[in-house]
Amino acid sequence: MQKGAIGIFDSGYGGLTILRDIIKAMPEYDYIYLGDNARTPYGTRSFDTVYRFTLQAVRRLFAMGSPLVILACNTASAKALRTIQQNDLPGLSPAGRVLGVIRPTVEAVGSVTRSWEIGVMGTVGTIQSQSYDMEIKKLYPQAKVYGQPCPMFVPIVENGEYDSPGADYFVNKYVNSLLSQSAAIDTVILGCTHYPLLINKIKQALPAGIAVVAQGELVAASLGEYLKRHPEIEGRCLRSGKRTFYTTDSPEKFEASGRIFMGEAITAEKIVLE
Ligand code: DGL
């Protein structure tokens, strides 16, 4: 069987925070990153649109030879993953696999919370889909989940404003709104792959004692476990440490911003998704 790079998809730059941690844990594999920057943000779009865009990206990554695609985007994981896995995969790539980022995040929360009152910050789409509520309650029926949509966070991060006073304003606004839902929340999930760029501000805005759960390391650990459990997929992953970056918008812009997310220089190529 043909070998290929592990595909990582996000609506924009956010998935780079996941890729960075995956590479830290498993530098030996080849990775192809695809950011749909031309159509970001996904968080305010309908189910149908997020599904259609995500399917186009997954199809492209399989066409590039990926045996395994990670949706490093909570919005796509919430709105498109299940349909793609159940309806599209058999026709697209019967031996291929598509994984999301919500399940590995939820699995880790059980060892963090004590009050079982959990806050989730995410895009409007992720929060409205109630995917976190459902996944958390499946694993921990005793949990209470409070969702906080943060529609300004992705535009702030995509436009490089995550260190600005404007970012402080919106971090405080969303954190206060989340905490007003319950005084017993002791764990906050950053349910969007863009939010790690705001993690210091979010931690500062939260009272001491509330744990913040970011996804990168959790997804990396879960991918490592998955590859161990699935030698038939692992055996099809190239291992020459190569990284390739594609964007649907300007490669120059992607290289400049991507460098900040990845902590190292990158080169990107433009592709069109349809
Ligand atoms: N990084 C995506 C996520 O995790 C951002 C979604 C968007 O484009 O709004 O949800």
Side-chain angles (χ1 to χ4, degrees), residues 10-11 14-15 40-44 72-75 123 126 154 191-194:
D10 181 49
S11 61
T40 197
Y42 279 16
T44 43
C73 176
N74 289 267
T75 311
T123 65
T126 298
V154 170
C192 173
T193 55
H194 283 68

Side-chain angles (χ1 to χ4, degrees), residues 75-93:
T75 311
S77 299
K79 292 186 164 191
L81 177 64
R82 187 176 299 238
T83 314
I84 291 177
Q85 284 174 332
Q86 290 177 353
N87 297 355
D88 300 296
L89 203 52
L92 274 183
S93 172

Side-chain angles (χ1 to χ4, degrees), residues 162-243:
Y162 45 85
D163 256 339
S164 69
D168 284 318
Y169 172 82
F170 284 105
V171 166
N172 286 319
K173 178 177 165 139
Y174 296 144
V175 163
N176 291 339
S177 169
L178 174 64
L179 297 180
S180 73
Q181 297 184 53
S182 166
I185 293 172
D186 73 346
T187 304
V188 172
I189 295 175
L190 301 191
C192 173
T193 55
H194 283 68
Y195 297 1
L197 273 91
L198 294 164
I199 193 166
N200 291 335
K201 286 190 186 299
I202 293 170
K203 282 183 175 167
Q204 273 163 21
L206 285 166
I210 298 189
V212 177
V213 175
Q215 300 181 295
E217 287 178 11
L218 303 177
V219 173
S222 160
L223 175 61
E225 289 302 316
Y226 181 89
L227 292 173
K228 271 188 214 141
R229 284 199 318 273
H230 294 276
E232 76 287 3
I233 299 288
E234 200 280 336
R236 292 171 52 214
C237 297
L238 284 170
R239 290 168 147 260
S240 66
K242 187 174 169 206
R243 299 94 174 73

Side-chain angles (χ1 to χ4, degrees), residues 32-253:
I32 299 179
Y33 185 89
L34 170 51
D36 192 6
N37 299 78
R39 302 189 293 195
T40 197
Y42 279 16
T44 43
R45 295 184 187 273
S46 68
F47 263 86
D48 277 0
T49 305
V50 173
Y51 163 65
R52 189 160 46 85
F53 288 176
T54 306
L55 182 59
Q56 290 170 353
V58 168
R59 186 179 291 129
R60 179 61 71 89
L61 286 164
F62 280 135
M64 290 174 182
S66 292
L68 172 66
V69 173
I70 315 287
L71 302 185
C73 176
N74 289 267
T75 311
S77 299
K79 292 186 164 191
L81 177 64
R82 187 176 299 238
T83 314
I84 291 177
Q85 284 174 332
Q86 290 177 353
N87 297 355
D88 300 296
L89 203 52
L92 274 183
S93 172
R97 290 292 173 268
V98 184
L99 304 175
V101 288
I102 294 179
R103 180 79 189 199
T105 311
V106 168
E107 280 170 0
V109 163
S111 56
V112 180
T113 183
R114 284 168 208 278
S115 68
W116 294 105
E117 300 223 4
I118 299 158
V120 182
M121 302 181 91
T123 65
V124 175
T126 298
I127 300 302
Q128 276 178 356
S129 74
Q130 305 222 319
S131 298
Y132 272 98
D133 310 44
M134 290 184 292
E135 285 295 332
I136 290 172
K137 285 181 184 147
K138 243 189 258 165
L139 289 187
Y140 320 111
Q142 72 275 38
K144 284 193 180 149
V145 182
Y146 304 92
Q148 176 59 49
C150 308
M152 289 304 291
F153 279 0
V154 170
I156 284 171
V157 170
E158 287 278 320
N159 289 290
E161 294 287 341
Y162 45 85
D163 256 339
S164 69
D168 284 318
Y169 172 82
F170 284 105
V171 166
N172 286 319
K173 178 177 165 139
Y174 296 144
V175 163
N176 291 339
S177 169
L178 174 64
L179 297 180
S180 73
Q181 297 184 53
S182 166
I185 293 172
D186 73 346
T187 304
V188 172
I189 295 175
L190 301 191
C192 173
T193 55
H194 283 68
Y195 297 1
L197 273 91
L198 294 164
I199 193 166
N200 291 335
K201 286 190 186 299
I202 293 170
K203 282 183 175 167
Q204 273 163 21
L206 285 166
I210 298 189
V212 177
V213 175
Q215 300 181 295
E217 287 178 11
L218 303 177
V219 173
S222 160
L223 175 61
E225 289 302 316
Y226 181 89
L227 292 173
K228 271 188 214 141
R229 284 199 318 273
H230 294 276
E232 76 287 3
I233 299 288
E234 200 280 336
R236 292 171 52 214
C237 297
L238 284 170
R239 290 168 147 260
S240 66
K242 187 174 169 206
R243 299 94 174 73
T244 313
F245 296 87
Y246 293 102
T247 174
T248 55
D249 205 347
S250 148
E252 293 77 23
K253 191 167 167 239

